[in-house]
Every structure is written in C-alpha cells, then in structure tokens.
Amino acid sequence: MAQKNDSKPLDLARVRNIGIIAHIDAGKTTTTERVLYYTGRVHRMGEVHDGAATTDYMEQERERGITITAAAVTAFWRDHQINLIDTPGHVDFTAEVQRSLRVLDGGVVVFDGVAGVEPQSETVWRQANEYHVPRICFINKFDRVGADFDRVVEMIRERLHAQPVPVQLPYGQGETFRGIVDLFDMKLVTYGDDLGTQIERVDIPADFLAEAQAARARMIETIVESDDTLMEKYLLEETIDNDELRAALRKATIANKLQPILVGSALKNRGVQLLLDAVVDYLPSPLDIPPIQGIDPRTEQPVVRHASDDEPLSALVFKIITDPFVGRLAFFRVYSGVLRAGSSVQNTSKGKKERIGRVVRMFADRREDVEEVHAGDIAATLGLKDTFTGETLADADAPILLESITFPEPVISVAIEPKTKADQDKMAEALRKLAEEDPTFVVKVDEAVGQTLIHGMGELHLEVLVDRMLREFKVGARVGKPRVAYRETITRPVRAEGRFVRQTGGSGQYGHVIVEFEPLPEDATENFVFENKVVGGTIPKEYIQPVKRGIEEAMTGGVLAGYPVTRIKATLVDGSYHEVDSSEIAFKIAGSLALKEGVQRGAPILLEPVMRVEVVVPEEFTGDIMGDLSARRGTITGMEPRGNGFSSIKALVPIGEMFGYATVIRNQTQGRGNFTMEFARYAPTPQHITDEIVKGGKR
C-alpha cells in the first residue's frame, strides 16, 4: 500500500511512477508545472521564462531557463498517486535522465510540434528502450506556427523505430489551434478560459468529421493488431467498445508494443488534463511491471522480489542531493517491503548497516515528512552515511543486491585551484559533495604537478558545477580552460613480463607474472577484460586477483602522455612465486609493471572523444556551417530540412575542436542557429595532434 500523505491508503494499482523526458526546450518543465496546477499541488502556474517554475528550483536553472537536476514531485489525479520526475533535456545532464529511468515504471516523452524528433529525443528514447520503460508521447507547442502533427508522428515512427498510435488529433494548428479531437469518444475538446479549467466536449465540426473518422479507423486497426481476441472480433465485424480498446491499448503500451500519441500546448494550458488521464489509463502501476531481480550477496544466487509490502525490503538509491541546511538527501525507490523512519537496513552493495533517519516525500525542493514508504513508492531519506547512487538497501535477514546504474564516462576536464589557503579545505569538501551527487562528475588530483582536475560531460556541465561550488559552498577558486579527456590504448597484441623482486634483511618480496595484452574492438562494451589462463599452479589462486588489481591501477596513467588506458584485454598466462617471499602486494606491483611494459611495446596510440553534433540553422547558412565543421575535422553524416526555412546538419566532430562553438555559431548565423552535442565514441587521434599532446605532457 502507498500512503496518500497520512490519509487513506492507496492500493498499488493506483500508483504511477513516471518521468517526463525530452529534448531541451520541448516543454517538459512547463508540462510538469501544468500537471501540478491541475492536480491542485500549486495554485499559480510558474513559467520557465520567468524563472518561476516549481521543479526548476536551483538558481542556475532559473537563470539559464533549463532543467539541470531531476526534480521529484507527488500529485494525485482521479484517485491515483502520481510520483513524477521532471528530467533535464540538455545532453550534459544525461545521467539525471538515466538514473530516473532506472527506477521509473513509465515515461511521458514530450516532442516539440514544430521541431519533432530532435537529437536528445533520440537519446532519451534509446535510454528508455534500455530500461524497457513503457511510454506515451505528448506532441506539445501546437499553438506555434509550423506545427505539423502528421510529420511529427512519422518522425517518431521512422527515427525512433516506434509504433505510434494517435489517440487524439489537433483541430487546427499554429494560431488556428482551437481544440483536441478525442478519437475514443469522437468529441472535440475545447476550452472556455485561458487557464484551461473550463473544458467543453462538443460534436466534431462537419468539415473535420471525415478526417477524424478515418483516424479513428486507423487507431482501431493498430490496437486490434496487438490483441488476438479483439482481432478475431474485428475480422468478424463484431462491435468493439471503447473499454475493450482502452484495455488492449494499455496492455500493448505496457508491453512496449505501442505508444499512444497525444497533442496539446502546455504553455497555453491545452491538453494537460487529457495527458493526466492517459497516464492513469495507459502507463503501468508497480504491479504491471515484472518483479525486480537481484542476487543474494551471500550465495550469489538469483533472487526475485514482488511489489508487495509482505515481502522483505528491497530499495534502490538512485540520486543524492546535498542540501546546505539538512545534509545529504538520498532518493530511493522501494521495490518490495516497507521502509520505515528510524529502522535499520543493510546496504548490500557495501555490506554495511545503515540507520534510516527522517523519511520525506519530495515536492521539488520542499519536503513532507512521512513515517513509512511502501512497495512501489518513491521518496527520500536523510541521514544515510555510506550510501550513494546505484546502491541497494535491503532487509539484513533477507539481503538482495539489485543491479546498479551505469553512467557514461566524462569527456572533458578543467583545472581548478583555490584562491586562498582558507579556500583549500572548503574546495575539497565542496568537490567531494558535488561528486557524491553526480556520478558523471569526477575529481582527480594530478600528483605530478599537484593540480586538481574536474571531469564532466561538457562545458555547460562543468560551468554549472563550478557555479554551484562558488555560490552554494562559498568557495573562491580559479578555473582553467577546458581540456579534452584523452585515452590511451594499444594497437597490437603483445606479451609482457612483470617481475618484482626485493631482497632485504629478513623476508623479501617476490612476484612474477607473464601477461598477454591485446586491444579490444571499438564496439566492446567493457574497457578492460581480464582472463586467467594460468595452469599447473605456477601462481597460487590467492595472487590472481591482486595481479588484476595491479593492472587496473596501472591503467589510470598511460605511457604516452599519462592519460588513462582503455580498450584492453589482459590474459594472465604464466609466472612464478616464492614459498616465503611472495605476497599480494608483490603480485599487484608485478601486474602493474607488466601493464606498463605491455602498453609501451603494444604500439600505443592516443584516443580522442568524438561527439555526435547536430546543428540547426537557417538554410542560407548551411554551406558556411558545413565548411566550418569540415575544417574542425568533422565528418558530415547527414542533412535534412527542418521546416520554417531551417536545416539540420549532423556530423561527427572531435570534442577538442568544439570548445567555444556556441559563440562561433551565433556569429555565423546572426544569432539564429543552435547546436546539440553528445558523446559518440573514442577514435584514434591524428599523429600530428598526438605529437603535440605528448610534447605538452612531457613539458
């Protein structure tokens, strides 16, 4: 049971855990704001452009008019509890989308009615596919000139390989957008006021009836194809009522076979109540999704937990926020059992006991205390000491370890140093807290030059984090120029030896390994693979893992310019040990020595991050932009018209060539062009650039 604050309990079938996901500027936060207004959670709608949106509560979000951190809110509609997460659209904050999708049961994907499917729409759709999240689509901004329903639906089908099923049609578009046709009830939904609260259902105008009937026939065909029983009725020309159609559409949506398409304009308060109805009607409750699977950390055997209060506790922490007033806040999703304030639980990821302090239901940056959180619900807790993103909380008597969350590696870094001695400790503490919050933000100290480097997903990502450090944590710091996060790898197989022998008075140290290294293919899912092929006990079992650890630790700095080594397979094939002098530390050092020798002799090369770039510009500037991208070592991969006189150019460009590009594109297109960029892959760096970097590294 999930609690409706402290009132009557709700059954799990009436809970919806959903996320709002989309490309930047598609209208996610505006849609969320309308949801809060119509569900009675706010009494005045805040606007993103005024810096007043409820879920954009950080100063950095309000100034930039974008969502940076995923905000959680709870609302109620038609006696259903909706736990809703508004996620960022900017690719630099993709980790926020990823961790939200990991714990959500359903998603609302918002599309711009003019732009349609944009680059980040594709990214969030792909992430939702990875986590098998059922979704409905809301084509927003239909009040804008150039909005085209059929074109956007076709883009969803073609680009996202989806199965869209329009359940509504717009009546008019742009300035003539006057209402929404409901294809189930065959009524035109219009609004009697600007706030969108006076909903009227009228007959479909005669001039639009034939189009609506044809669309309803297509909708019915698509739905019955997903259901054998209805297909039989359809072929026998028996009557199929709306309840049967809705039930079949719900089933197909939850199975990820179909995606209902809705339409509206969140800014003009049109279509949001119908969207809430669709969330309740078509998206899954915690009971509709398969039970969560994990392993028992004691036996390594698979374990399954159902969404029930009667099963032992299992919960996943998916987000950490550092609150300057109350300390660390951990967001979690309960998959089974009940999590109570004041109880003791086991962090099975680390094997540590944790005490649950206050338990709160989040409303953006406000909190409501609750005594307990039930299976299927999302909430947050204060007071966890050792628990971070992706870790499992469980009943100590019935432990389970859930699959963690994997995040992309950072591709850019900047050097940062405190302004004064007093800022030094404050900076270290601030960076630690920010890194706890954000798994894609990595802090490293370059021991050779005593410099602190912060690594992130892009210029905006690091800019926001530095801004938070200066403002929230009051740290004075100087920030260097962005630098590329290069990697090193080998290009040919090589056999290397690592021998560590120390003779001192008393017992010495002895570790000796022979390792075969080979490069992993570019599309490998792992950056490092270790295999043990030692036979005949030439190295005792207890020293195998230390060898692996030694290789992994040595991979943090390569031989060309000190960048981390990646895409490498190590096979331990032979070695020797000493009855008295061998130890774990000796074999660990031997492993690291083998790695250094292997990389040195394996024809090492430097890899650079290559970004997937999409530039949207007025058509008259396409030639200049394509020439400029080519000059930046970019490969043009596609171009297509975007409507309204704009074109989209897609390219693969090394990130090192893209620093400061926002200013360049503004200057080249009279301020009318924009671009998005996300990490695509690591690729070999040209020799002349490698030579420069190696020289610089040695300097």
Side-chain angles (χ1 to χ4, degrees):
M1 295 279 193
Q3 295 290 327
K4 181 173 177 177
N5 297 343
D6 294 317
S7 59
K8 62 174 185 174
L10 279 169
D11 68 46
L12 266 186
R14 292 180 177 274
V15 174
R16 300 286 181 273
N17 294 313
I18 66 160
I20 297 202
I21 57 177
H23 183 89
I24 191 167
D25 269 350
K28 294 176 302 301
T29 302
T30 305
T31 304
T32 305
E33 197 67 23
R34 298 321 185 249
V35 166
L36 298 178
Y37 179 75
Y38 295 126
T39 56
R41 292 310 307 252
V42 297
H43 301 293
R44 182 179 161 275
M45 288 182 264
E47 302 297 356
V48 175
H49 52 263
D50 296 335
T54 308
T55 52
D56 282 355
Y57 56 86
M58 288 166 61
E59 284 176 44
Q60 291 81 359
E61 295 177 309
R62 296 192 159 167
E63 286 168 5
R64 291 170 175 81
I66 60 169
T67 301
I68 289 169
T69 180
V73 290
T74 300
F76 294 87
W77 184 256
R78 279 174 37 190
D79 207 22
H80 283 65
Q81 176 179 311
I82 299 174
N83 297 321
L84 185 147
I85 295 181
D86 173 30
T87 66
H90 197 287
V91 71
D92 281 16
F93 308 103
T94 188
E96 290 289 324
V97 184
Q98 204 144 335
R99 57 176 162 197
S100 301
L101 285 171
R102 170 69 175 81
V103 296
L104 292 170
D105 301 329
V108 175
V109 190
V110 182
F111 296 93
D112 183 320
V114 180
V117 175
E118 298 176 89
Q120 193 63 8
S121 318
E122 296 181 40
T123 304
V124 296
W125 195 271
R126 197 168 58 241
Q127 288 170 324
N129 282 343
E130 279 172 33
Y131 292 115
H132 310 293
V133 174
R135 63 218 88 139
I136 58 179
C137 304
F138 180 58
I139 302 178
N140 189 24
K141 300 194 177 185
F142 240 78
D143 57 308
R144 285 181 60 205
V145 176
D148 187 332
F149 184 77
D150 293 337
R151 179 172 154 271
V152 178
V153 172
E154 200 46 44
M155 286 174 91
I156 292 170
R157 191 190 319 280
E158 293 292 320
R159 283 216 197 163
L160 305 178
H161 309 294
Q163 293 295 322
V165 50
V167 296
Q168 296 173 351
L169 288 184
Y171 183 55
Q173 50 200 39
E175 288 174 5
T176 63
F177 178 53
R178 296 196 294 282
I180 298 159
V181 173
D182 181 337
L183 295 178
F184 278 105
D185 297 333
M186 288 303 278
K187 291 286 183 187
L188 173 63
V189 178
T190 60
Y191 295 83
D193 65 339
D194 287 343
L195 281 176
T197 51
Q198 292 176 24
I199 297 178
E200 294 157 9
R201 287 177 173 264
V202 297
D203 290 337
I204 298 168
D207 65 340
F208 199 69
L209 191 58
E211 194 174 325
Q213 286 169 336
R216 176 175 162 87
R218 287 194 298 274
M219 176 187 83
I220 292 171
E221 267 178 41
T222 309
I223 294 171
V224 299
E225 279 172 6
S226 70
D227 187 290
D228 293 343
T229 311
L230 289 192
M231 191 67 184
E232 200 174 314
K233 284 182 88 169
Y234 180 76
L235 293 172
L236 294 169
E237 296 184 3
E238 291 178 21
T239 305
I240 302 171
D241 64 38
N242 279 343
D243 288 345
E244 289 177 292
L245 284 172
R246 282 198 174 98
L249 180 54
R250 175 182 177 79
K251 192 173 155 193
T253 304
I254 291 169
N256 266 315
K257 290 180 185 170
L258 295 176
Q259 290 83 33
I261 306 279
L262 297 97
V263 67
S265 166
L267 186 65
K268 292 288 186 334
N269 310 316
R270 304 285 185 262
V272 178
Q273 295 99 322
L274 302 178
L275 175 64
L276 280 165
D277 286 339
V279 165
V280 167
D281 290 341
Y282 308 125
L283 288 180
S285 75
L287 296 175
D288 294 316
I289 58 167
I292 193 78
Q293 296 185 330
I295 57 166
D296 185 328
R298 300 167 300 190
T299 61
E300 300 285 310
Q301 292 302 306
V303 189
V304 171
R305 293 278 158 82
H306 296 82
S308 162
D309 287 0
D310 301 329
E311 296 227 350
L313 173 71
S314 65
L316 186 78
V317 172
F318 67 94
K319 182 177 167 69
I320 300 288
I321 287 183
T322 303
D323 187 301
F325 303 107
V326 294
R328 195 193 303 138
L329 195 63
F331 286 74
F332 59 86
R333 157 82 191 256
V334 179
Y335 285 98
S336 63
V338 181
L339 193 143
R340 294 183 175 85
S343 62
S344 278
V345 296
Q346 178 96 355
N347 174 335
T348 48
S349 305
K350 288 184 175 151
K352 290 188 173 181
K353 271 247 163 86
E354 283 276 29
R355 189 175 178 283
I356 302 296
R358 283 170 63 198
V359 175
V360 291
R361 196 176 289 298
M362 293 303 295
F363 184 65
D365 58 340
R366 302 206 306 274
R367 293 174 285 276
E368 299 167 356
D369 281 88
V370 289
E371 285 305 307
E372 53 190 37
V373 183
H374 298 252
D377 215 342
I378 289 174
T381 179
L382 291 149
L384 297 183
K385 289 187 171 60
D386 295 306
T387 302
F388 298 103
T389 299
E391 295 181 351
T392 307
L393 299 175
D395 190 320
D397 297 329
I400 183 174
L401 182 59
L402 304 177
E403 187 188 341
S404 190
I405 311 171
T406 51
F407 295 102
E409 281 188 46
V411 293
I412 166 181
S413 69
V414 296
I416 188 164
E417 60 181 40
K419 279 186 177 168
T420 66
K421 196 85 179 127
D423 284 317
Q424 197 158 354
D425 291 341
K426 276 164 73 179
M427 185 178 97
E429 179 67 5
L431 291 177
R432 183 183 65 78
K433 286 180 175 173
L434 290 169
E436 284 175 0
E437 280 189 28
D438 185 345
T440 57
F441 176 59
V442 178
V443 182
K444 288 181 183 167
V445 177
D446 186 335
E447 302 293 353
V449 289
Q451 193 177 50
T452 301
L453 291 173
I454 55 174
H455 301 254
M457 298 305 294
E459 287 181 271
L460 180 64
H461 186 208
L462 291 182
E463 182 193 309
V464 166
L465 287 161
V466 168
D467 194 38
R468 285 188 61 194
M469 186 181 78
L470 303 178
R471 286 200 212 179
E472 277 176 44
F473 298 96
K474 310 283 189 289
V475 176
R478 281 186 286 270
V479 184
K481 285 198 170 76
R483 299 199 297 193
V484 180
Y486 292 102
R487 297 282 184 270
E488 297 183 19
T489 191
I490 58 173
T491 54
R492 64 173 183 227
V494 64
R495 189 180 176 100
E497 186 174 18
R499 180 188 289 274
F500 181 67
V501 182
R502 280 270 166 88
Q503 288 308 131
T504 52
S507 65
Q509 294 281 12
Y510 185 96
H512 172 226
V513 296
I514 294 170
V515 186
E516 288 176 354
F517 294 101
E518 60 185 288
L520 287 170
E522 193 182 294
D523 57 356
T525 51
E526 293 173 279
N527 288 326
F528 173 58
V529 174
F530 178 80
E531 209 174 301
N532 173 28
K533 284 196 175 170
V534 170
V535 288
T538 51
I539 300 176
K541 261 191 187 158
E542 64 266 27
Y543 298 140
I544 304 296
Q545 278 306 310
V547 174
K548 182 188 176 189
R549 282 200 299 276
I551 294 171
E552 281 181 304
E553 282 181 22
M555 284 173 68
T556 56
V559 300
L560 284 174
Y563 288 104
V565 177
T566 187
R567 278 196 217 151
I568 203 162
K569 180 181 179 184
T571 308
L572 181 59
V573 291
D574 204 359
S576 60
Y577 75 106
H578 188 281
E579 288 282 0
V580 178
D581 292 349
S582 282
S583 65
E584 287 193 7
I585 192 76
F587 273 95
K588 189 174 166 186
I589 295 169
S592 68
L593 294 172
L595 184 276
K596 291 288 183 200
E597 188 197 324
V599 174
Q600 196 87 54
R601 290 179 33 232
I605 57 165
L606 214 55
L607 299 172
E608 64 183 348
V610 174
M611 309 303 280
R612 204 176 283 113
V613 177
E614 178 162 11
V615 189
V616 178
V617 292
E619 281 167 1
E620 64 262 35
F621 299 113
T622 50
D624 294 346
I625 296 298
M626 287 168 83
D628 181 63
L629 289 171
S630 299
R632 293 170 185 273
R633 300 194 285 122
T635 306
I636 308 293
T637 57
M639 185 182 150
E640 62 181 339
R642 263 293 166 90
N644 281 5
F646 277 75
S647 282
S648 147
I649 302 158
K650 291 185 176 178
L652 291 167
V653 192
I655 195 173
E657 304 288 343
M658 292 298 288
F659 291 146
Y661 189 63
T663 309
V664 172
I665 195 167
R666 273 201 299 273
N667 293 340
Q668 284 187 333
T669 62
Q670 299 164 1
R672 294 159 66 202
N674 64 64
F675 77 103
T676 54
M677 182 167 78
E678 71 172 313
F679 175 70
R681 57 185 158 83
Y682 269 96
T685 309
Q687 192 57 49
H688 68 281
I689 291 174
T690 300
D691 293 343
E692 276 177 42
I693 293 163
V694 170
K695 264 188 225 158
K698 284 183 176 154
R699 273 206 300 276

